[in-house]
């Protein structure tokens, strides 16, 4: 009982495993459909359909497919297993064109399930082994039972010299009830497939259909055909990940004992060459009954464990998963380096002319500041030069003079800006366009380095539609950071300049009055003095020198100020560009890469 | 070639010169011509049919060197009977049994025969001691059954090491004595392009595939048997070798078994035999007694496949005696082969039939290859078109950018404005002051703005062309990747981007263009009276103005663009015109633009070459296809004329030389005692006439069987045959009545002969 429970638990676990793999494969396909190769996708989809279909059918039944080349003796083997002639045996090739199933299940309910399962498989002809089978096994233990079974009617199974032929008077036998019952209720279904190598090509189609859906594959071959290219290249290798395979060398009665051993070891060698490790090799003969008991008990065990159903599905799903994983390329390194992104932002900023704007802001700020804080007698010259920002078409972002005392965050300037306005600087000019796409291309190249080509091309195609140059332009043109404010110290310096200018003018006027007075010989000798110097002279010289010094000092301060302003503008533009790059390039690329990773992970799960 | 001159005649069989000029000699010439053509053709592009085309080509070349040429040059060379068939069908055993001698090595392990064995009569040695036939296979001479027995254990114990062993043996001892590097140069010594074999060193490059040549008295003179590898072998090279040998045969002895006779692979091979009219005889081996259904079934399958005339020999499953099938079971095959050799006209019929069929099929193959050549050409064109389209688009976009003024926005514009000040340079006095001031300040700061403009122009141009090239590369790569033939090229991932030296090339061309413009300016400035004015602005300044004018000159600028770029362009143009005059400026702009276009086109073409050149060096040409078709027509015409003339010749020979002889060749008949361990001789002795040997199904006797037990078998067959075609059933009564006599004579006395 406990064994039963354990087996149930095992079965549940296995079915859960199958379901998980189905989910994983489905997910992998979902993520990878755009770029996975067509054959892999179609094979996986087909396999998914098969797995889902099989899961919906009875898992208490184990479908064993007897597959093999024409004339290997599949039908004779089935007859021997069934204990009576269920399948037509003939010397003509190819023989079996209709598939035929033998079901070991005594319960009515079980047979109903089996019937549905066979419907799904597309096997029309069914035979139910009943207890009243005419040739029931005898009591002498399994081996002799099967020997007897094997001898039943096998004389017609083409392929024996007349001398070895036995009569069909098989000893009547009674089974040991328990064993017999076990097999009867085992839920074993053996299907005899058409050949896959004859001139009748429909047989091959049928055989392919069923080998893809069977739970246990029994490859039946014979001493003549065991090394056929088609058998190894197109069949065995296709199923190399199956664990529950059996390779049966039938008709060994044609070989001497030594030859048999040689053949068997040669088959094992070929199987290793095919990459198959999990197959059991068995020598049988329906004529002498050799090996049939082993075959039968192997099948019995397989059906009793109820493991083959899951295992074959797992093997096939695993194959698909591995194929997909192979096409996904290696696991991408998680060192998501910032290097390509930094380069992208840098290149985009350059394409957008951020440096030029920053230069212009610097120049503009310096000019403005020069006008405001330079020595009034010379600073007017600066007005003659055009504002560099105006050259870029960004002059409207210059705060009007009336707002000089307001905070930089004043909304007024925003009202001036037409948000969609395009700076005259760029437009969709060819150079920006070219540089932008260069930057994006370089980024995609770096981000997809080492990935499969098909996927790379897919990513490139996805990103091709993005036209960054427009957005880039609007990011730069509408950046609020380019608004320049009038700092307070400009006003102070301006006032000081006016005071110094006034002093200078007062001094000059005073001196002029004194000069005129002395010209007119008026007595101006008692000019007020301060520390021995005449005050008008002091006023003139003081006003002049203070103005010049203040001009020079404020020039230095202006430079520092302009630098600060421009670096602020730079960082703000840069972050704007970065935000744009992130949104339009980095994120989509990451998204598709994550999709690939998800595909790969799912495929790895399915192919584990 | 002289074939080319005779080509018009080939097109019109009606005006063919009679007999002599269109005999085998000229057909041989036509074949040599076809061979030369075929070796020149290649299928380098991985189109869907390329693999098949290469296979076909290889096959056709083999057929020419292995069979068609030798046969056309020596009609009297021995008939080559290739014993081929499925793996494990008992080919080697059959040959050994026929000859009562172990010349080849049978075994239970598959695949058995690795190296083919050729058995011939010692009298025919002169035909086989050269590389006349099968020149691609190395020769190993004289290994007989006795020597062979020593090799068996090694072969069984270490099948995988055998190839290496054989090569070693070949290199150490066997090579100097037994192989034939020093034999006289064979009559035909064609160089095969795909098999790197040359007559001077026949062994060097052959790998381990070799042909063992064994003389044996048991083989009728004028006949040679080859034991071929399996047609469905697991080993690819064996499979190919089998096909090659079958293609070299005058007659196939195709061996199958009761278990295998419906396998698809051998039937594919048989179909190819039908397609090229090769003479085929079928042997069905290992037939269980009582499984005679198999035989009738196979017979009807053969008939359905158009092999009505092929005899079918039945050998029953039986105990081997000393590794050989008992002689009676194979006697009918021996008899048939003997009969073929001695019956008047039979041998020639077989040889001529297979030869004509082979040449016909060669002609068809060549036509097929011509189609493949065209497929290759189409694929090449598609690939080139993809590259052409992508790069034409690239050039178009570069040209558009450099002429419609879009290049003038952005950095160039900014630098230009920096340079000229307000951008409204010519509008008033104020601007002149500004310009003056700019230039003064530029002078004071020690740097001129003009090189900056030039730099900006260069950078922009670079970016635009580079981007266009990258885009084109990507587009081409994408297109090629999606195309089956392009996919193999796409494995070279460097094709996904523009080339590594694009940077250098492009920078060089841009610098060249700018240097050219400055030169143009200084030339134009020097030869005019305008020199002073030109000097006032400086060559650099005028140069950048010209660059800008060149960019904007043909552009139909509209709206805002005209306001910006056009303004720039107009400003520059006015500046230039003020110096050089209107006409000169127009000419300058034209020259500058033409030079730019020329240089950019050169760069783009250079980039395109990376894709186009590998395709061009493939050497595909329309000529090849045409030449192949012409050659195929020649061959067709040659065969057509052969079919008429030799028939006359052979009837004449029969009637003139041996008017009343039963057998074609007295000399041969006297030899026949040794043939097939005497089986053939016994047959001949029994026969009054060898007019016909028409049997659709022929049974040997089982080892256990006596003539009495065998006759029921033949009776069932008669019944089965009764429903077959009229011509055959007409012959049935004669054979049926005669059968007891020769069965008895042959198989009754046979065994005693052997035992003596």
């Amino acid at each position: 009982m406990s064994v039963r429970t354990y087996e149930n638990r095992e079965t549940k676990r296995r079915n859960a495993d199958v379901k998980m793999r189905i989910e994983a494969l489905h997910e992998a396909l979902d993520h990878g459909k755009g770029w996975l190769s067509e054959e892999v996708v179609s094979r996986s989809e087909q396999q998914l359909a098969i797995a889902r279909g099989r899961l919906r059918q009875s898992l208490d039944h184990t479908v064993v497919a007897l597959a093999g080349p024409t004339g290997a003796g599949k039908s004779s083997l089935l007859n021997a297993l069934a204990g009576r002639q269920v399948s037509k045996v003939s010397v003509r090739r190819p023989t079996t064109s209709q598939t035929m199933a033998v079901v070991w299940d005594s319960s009515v309910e079980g047979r109903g399930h089996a019937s549905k399962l066979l419907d799904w498989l597309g096997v029309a002809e069914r035979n139910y082994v009943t207890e009243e089978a005419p040739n029931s096994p005898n009591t002498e233990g399994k081996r002799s039972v099967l020997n007897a079974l094997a001898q039943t009617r096998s004389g017609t199974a083409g392929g024996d010299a007349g001398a070895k032929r036995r009569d069909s008077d098989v000893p009547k036998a009674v089974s040991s009830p328990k064993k017999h019952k076990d097999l009867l209720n085992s839920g074993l279904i053996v299907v005899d497939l058409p050949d896959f190598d004859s001139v009748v090509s429909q047989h091959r189609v049928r055989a392919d259909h069923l080998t893809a859906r069977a739970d246990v594959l029994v490859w039946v071959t014979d001493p003549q055909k065991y090394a056929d290219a088609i058998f190894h290249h197109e069949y065995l290798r296709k199923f190399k990940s199956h664990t529950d395979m059996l390779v049966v060398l039938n008709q060994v009665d044609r070989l001497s004992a030594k030859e048999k051993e040689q053949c068997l070891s040669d088959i094992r060698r070929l199987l290793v060459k095919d990459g198959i490790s999990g197959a059991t090799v068995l020598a049988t003969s329906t004529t002498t009954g050799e090996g049939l008991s082993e075959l039968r008990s192997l099948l019995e065990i397989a059906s009793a464990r109820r493991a083959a159903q899951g295992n074959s599905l797992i093997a096939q799903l695993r194959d698909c998963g591995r194929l997909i994983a192979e096409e996904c390329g290696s696991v991408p390194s998680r060192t998501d380096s910032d290097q390509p992104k930094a380069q992208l932002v840098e290149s985009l900023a350059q394409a957008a002319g951020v440096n030029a704007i920053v230069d212009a802001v610097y120049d503009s700020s310096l000019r403005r500041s020069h006008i405001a804080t330079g020595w009034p007698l010379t600073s007017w010259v600066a007005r003659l030069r055009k504002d560099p920002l105006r050259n870029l078409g960004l002059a409207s972002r210059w705060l009007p003079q009336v707002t000089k005392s307001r905070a930089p965050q004043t909304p007024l300037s925003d009202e001036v800006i037409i948000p969609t306005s395009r700076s005259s600087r760029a437009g969709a000019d060819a150079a920006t366009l070219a540089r932008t796409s260069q930057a994006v291309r370089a980024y995609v190249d770096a981000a997809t380095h080492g990935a499969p080509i098909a996927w790379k091309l897919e990513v490139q195609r996805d990103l091709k539609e993005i036209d960054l140059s427009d957005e880039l332009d609007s990011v730069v043109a509408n950046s609020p950071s380019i608004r320049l404010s009038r700092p307070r110290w400009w006003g102070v310096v301006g006032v000081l300049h006016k005071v110094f200018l006034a002093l200078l003018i007062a001094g000059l006027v005073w001196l002029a009055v004194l000069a005129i007075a002395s010209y007119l010989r008026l007595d101006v000798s008692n000019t007020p003095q301060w520390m021995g110097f005449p005050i008008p002279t002091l006023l003139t010289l003081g006003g002049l020198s203070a103005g010049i010094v203040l001009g020079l000092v404020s020039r230095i301060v202006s430079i520092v100020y302009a630098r600060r302003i421009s670096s602020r503008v730079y960082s703000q533009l840069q972050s704007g560009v970065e935000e744009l790059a992130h949104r339009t390039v980095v994120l989509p690329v990451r998204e598709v890469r994550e999709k690939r990773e998800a595909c790969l992970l799912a495929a790895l799960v399915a192919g584990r | 070639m002289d074939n080319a001159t005779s080509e018009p005649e080939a097109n019109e069989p009606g005006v063919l010169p009679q007999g002599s000029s269109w005999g085998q000699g000229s057909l041989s010439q036509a074949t040599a011509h076809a061979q030369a053509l075929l070796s020149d053709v290649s299928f380098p592009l991985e189109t869907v049919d390329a693999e098949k085309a290469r296979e076909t080509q290889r096959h056709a070349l083999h057929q020419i060197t292995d069979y068609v040429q030798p046969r056309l040059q020596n009609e009297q060379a021995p008939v080559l009977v290739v014993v081929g068939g499925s793996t494990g069908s008992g080919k080697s055993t059959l040959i050994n049994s026929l000859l009562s001698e172990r010349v080849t090595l049978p075994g239970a392990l598959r695949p058995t025969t690795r190296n083919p064995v050729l058995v011939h009569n010692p009298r025919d040695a002169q035909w086989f001691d050269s590389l006349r036939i099968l020149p691609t296979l190395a020769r190993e001479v004289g290994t007989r059954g006795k020597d062979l027995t020593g090799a068996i254990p090694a072969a069984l114990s270490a099948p995988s090491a055998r190839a290496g062993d054989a090569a070693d043996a070949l290199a150490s001892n066997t090579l100097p004595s037994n192989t034939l590097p020093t034999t006289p140069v064979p009559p035909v010594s064609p160089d095969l392009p795909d098999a790197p074999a040359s007559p001077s060193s026949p062994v060097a490059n052959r790998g381990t595939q070799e042909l063992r040549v064994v003389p044996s008295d048991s083989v009728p003179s004028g006949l040679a048997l080859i034991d071929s590898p399996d047609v469905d072998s697991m080993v690819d090279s064996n499979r190919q070798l089998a096909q090659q040998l079958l293609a070299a045969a005058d007659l196939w002895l195709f061996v199958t078994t009761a278990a295998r006779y419906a396998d698809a692979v051998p039937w594919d091979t048989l179909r190819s035999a039908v397609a090229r009219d090769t003479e085929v005889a079928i042997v069905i081996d290992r037939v269980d007694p009582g499984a005679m259904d198999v035989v009738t079934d196979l017979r009807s399958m053969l008939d359905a496949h158009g092999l009505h005339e092929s005899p079918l020999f039945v050998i029953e499953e039986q105990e081997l005696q000393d590794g050989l099938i008992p002689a009676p079971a194979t006697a009918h095959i021996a008899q048939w082969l003997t009969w073929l050799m001695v019956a008047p006209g039979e041998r020639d019929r077989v040889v001529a039939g297979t030869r004509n069929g082979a040449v016909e099929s060669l002609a068809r193959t060549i036509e097929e290859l011509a189609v493949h050549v065209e497929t290759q050409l189409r694929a090449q064109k598609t690939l080139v078109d993809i590259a052409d389209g992508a790069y034409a688009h690239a050039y178009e976009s570069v040209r558009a950018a450099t002429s419609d003024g879009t290049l003038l926005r952005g950095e160039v514009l900014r630098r230009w404005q920096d340079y000229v000040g307000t951008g409204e340079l010519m509008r008033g006095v104020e601007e002149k002051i500004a310009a003056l001031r700019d230039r003064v300040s530029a002078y004071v700061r020690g740097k001129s703005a003009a090189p900056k403009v030039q730099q900006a122009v260069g950078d922009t141009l670079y970016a635009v062309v580079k981007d266009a090239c990258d885009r084109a590369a990507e587009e081409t790569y994408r297109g090629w990747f999606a195309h089956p033939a392009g996919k193999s090229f796409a494995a070279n991932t460097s094709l996904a981007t523009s080339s590594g030296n694009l940077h250098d090339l492009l920078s060089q061309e841009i610098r060249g263009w700018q240097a050219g413009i400055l030169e143009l300016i200084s030339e134009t400035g020097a030869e005019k009276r305008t020199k002073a004015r030109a000097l006032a602005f400086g060559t650099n300044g005028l140069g950048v103005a010209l660059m800008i004018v060149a960019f904007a000159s043909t552009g139909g600028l509209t709206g805002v663009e005209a306001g910006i770029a056009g303004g720039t362009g107009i400003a520059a143009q006015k500046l230039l015109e003020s110096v050089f005059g209107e006409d000169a400026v127009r000419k300058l702009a034209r020259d500058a633009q033409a030079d730019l276009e020329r240089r950019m086109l050169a760069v783009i073409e250079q980039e395109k070459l990376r894709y186009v050149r590998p395709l061009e060096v493939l050497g595909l040409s329309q000529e090849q296809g045409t030449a192949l078709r012409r050659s195929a027509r020649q061959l067709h015409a040659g065969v057509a004329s052969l079919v008429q003339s030799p028939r006359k010749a052979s009837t004449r020979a029969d009637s003139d030389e041996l008017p009343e002889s039963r057998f074609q060749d007295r000399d041969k008949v006297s030899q026949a005692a040794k043939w097939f361990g005497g089986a053939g001789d016994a047959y001949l002795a029994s026969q009054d006439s060898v007019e016909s040997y028409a049997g659709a199904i022929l049974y040997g006797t089982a080892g256990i069987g006596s003539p009495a037990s065998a006759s029921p078998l033949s009776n069932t067959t008669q019944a089965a045959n009764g429903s077959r075609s009229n011509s055959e059933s007409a012959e049935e009564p004669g054979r049926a009545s005669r059968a007891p006599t020769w069965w008895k004579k042959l198989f009754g006395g046979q065994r005693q002969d052997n035992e003596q």
Side-chain angles (χ1 to χ4, degrees), chain A residues 328-439:
Chain A
C328 281
S330 56
V331 187
S333 60
R334 293 289 349 173
T335 53
D336 200 5
S337 81
D338 286 336
Q339 174 93 7
K341 189 182 169 186
Q343 261 169 11
L344 172 70
V345 172
E346 179 67 36
S347 313
L348 284 182
Q350 208 155 8
V354 165
N355 286 342
I357 292 171
V358 170
D359 283 355
V361 164
Y362 177 78
D363 286 349
S364 183
S365 166
L366 211 56
R367 170 182 173 273
R368 191 67 205 147
S369 156
H370 187 51
I371 293 169
T373 66
W375 192 38
L377 291 183
T378 55
S379 66
W380 63 272
V381 178
R383 289 178 191 272
L384 286 180
R385 202 197 299 166
K386 203 175 172 187
D387 190 335
L389 277 179
R390 175 165 294 175
N391 270 350
L392 295 179
L394 296 167
S396 59
R397 263 146 293 284
W398 185 255
L399 291 178
Q401 302 233 348
V402 287
T403 65
K404 55 181 145 186
S405 59
R406 298 206 184 172
Q409 291 85 3
T410 173
L412 186 78
S413 55
D414 283 336
E415 286 157 18
V416 178
I417 301 166
I418 308 156
T420 53
S421 81
R422 167 169 284 208
S423 67
S424 70
R425 173 200 52 83
D429 71 299
T432 310
L433 222 65
R435 286 188 181 126
T436 317
S437 70
Q438 286 281 298

Side-chain angles (χ1 to χ4, degrees), chain B residues 425-426 530 533-534 537 542 570-582 585:
Chain B
L425 183 67
M426 300 300 159
T530 53
R533 271 184 285 171
F537 286 96
L542 292 172
I570 288 162
Q573 192 156 359
K574 289 237 167 95
L575 175 68
L576 286 174
E577 279 171 4
S578 71
V579 178
F580 299 113
E582 205 170 314
V585 169

Side-chain angles (χ1 to χ4, degrees), chain B residues 560-573:
Chain B
V560 188
E561 286 177 2
I564 303 152
T568 318
I570 288 162
Q573 192 156 359

Side-chain angles (χ1 to χ4, degrees), chain A residues 89-134:
Chain A
V89 175
S90 159
V91 291
R92 289 209 179 201
R93 307 279 166 254
T95 321
T96 305
S97 54
Q98 276 300 310
T99 45
M100 142 78 60
V102 175
V103 181
W104 278 264
D105 198 325
S106 54
S107 73
V108 176
E109 193 192 359
R111 287 184 182 182
H113 289 313
S115 179
K116 269 188 201 150
L117 175 55
L118 287 170
D119 284 344
W120 176 72
L121 287 167
V123 177
E125 276 190 67
R126 293 132 207 210
N127 268 279
Y128 298 97
V129 174
T130 52
E131 259 178 296
E132 310 88 56

Side-chain angles (χ1 to χ4, degrees), chain B residues 141-452:
Chain B
V141 179
T143 318
R144 299 291 295 266
K146 289 178 202 110
D147 311 5
L148 199 63
T149 48
I152 293 173
L156 288 183
S157 61
S160 58
R162 193 175 134 84
D165 291 347
D168 287 348
L170 197 67
S172 55
N173 336 318
T174 334
L175 174 66
S177 56
N178 286 346
T179 51
L180 292 160
T182 54
T183 45
V185 178
V188 190
S189 54
D191 282 321
L192 283 181
D194 54 342
S198 69
S200 56
S201 62
V203 187
N205 300 318
R206 300 270 161 65
T208 55
Q209 280 199 339
E210 52 185 63
L211 178 68
R212 219 170 66 233
V213 180
V214 181
S216 164
D217 283 333
S218 293
V219 183
S221 60
L223 186 107
L225 289 167
I226 290 188
D227 182 15
S228 135
D230 314 319
V231 290
D232 49 3
S233 169
M234 256 187 93
V235 184
D236 292 346
S237 62
N238 278 4
R239 235 172 16 238
Q240 282 171 6
L241 184 60
Q243 295 298 342
Q244 185 189 345
L245 289 172
L246 285 172
D250 290 304
L251 169 66
W252 289 15
L253 205 54
F254 202 84
V255 186
T256 184
T257 68
R260 280 194 174 276
Y261 74 89
D263 283 11
V265 178
W267 277 103
D268 288 344
T269 314
L270 280 177
R271 263 191 285 272
S272 76
V274 174
R276 59 175 178 251
D277 266 352
T278 307
E279 292 288 329
V280 183
I282 316 289
V283 177
I284 180 160
D285 201 357
R286 303 193 173 170
V287 181
D288 288 318
M292 290 309 152
D293 266 6
V294 167
V295 179
T296 46
D297 193 31
L298 174 57
R299 184 71 250 176
S300 61
M301 281 174 83
L302 288 171
D303 293 349
H305 281 82
L307 290 163
H308 307 276
E309 292 175 10
S310 302
L312 167 61
F313 298 99
V314 181
I315 300 177
E316 294 187 351
E317 171 88 25
Q318 53 206 294
E319 296 289 332
L320 297 184
Q321 295 178 356
D322 195 20
L324 301 179
I325 307 170
T330 58
H332 52 330
I333 302 173
Q335 288 161 19
W336 183 70
L337 287 173
T338 311
W339 172 77
L340 263 189
M341 294 314 297
V342 298
E346 247 345 275
R347 177 203 170 276
D348 292 347
R349 185 188 61 76
V350 168
V351 169
T354 303
R355 179 200 60 206
N356 294 347
V359 178
E360 280 284 353
S361 93
L362 184 63
R364 281 197 302 273
T365 307
I366 289 175
E367 276 166 2
E368 199 183 302
L369 284 174
V371 174
H372 288 309
V373 165
E374 280 147 17
T375 315
Q376 291 270 314
L377 280 170
R378 266 200 306 281
Q380 183 194 29
K381 187 170 181 305
T382 311
L383 294 184
V384 170
D385 282 353
I386 289 172
D388 271 347
Y391 279 95
H393 185 241
Y395 176 65
E396 212 36 61
S397 69
V398 168
R399 219 179 59 82
T402 52
S403 61
D404 68 1
T406 44
L407 208 70
L408 291 180
R409 279 171 263 161
E411 200 185 347
V412 174
L413 175 67
R414 195 167 63 242
R415 294 298 179 193
W416 174 250
Q417 282 172 341
D418 277 354
Y419 178 49
V420 298
T422 61
E424 295 156 0
L425 183 67
M426 300 300 159
R427 204 171 280 167
V429 185
E430 181 197 344
E431 286 84 357
K432 276 187 181 161
I433 296 165
L436 186 67
R437 188 215 57 232
D438 269 4
R439 287 176 55 212
V440 167
S441 69
Y443 176 76
V444 171
R445 288 187 207 148
K447 54 180 177 184
S448 163
K452 276 193 173 178

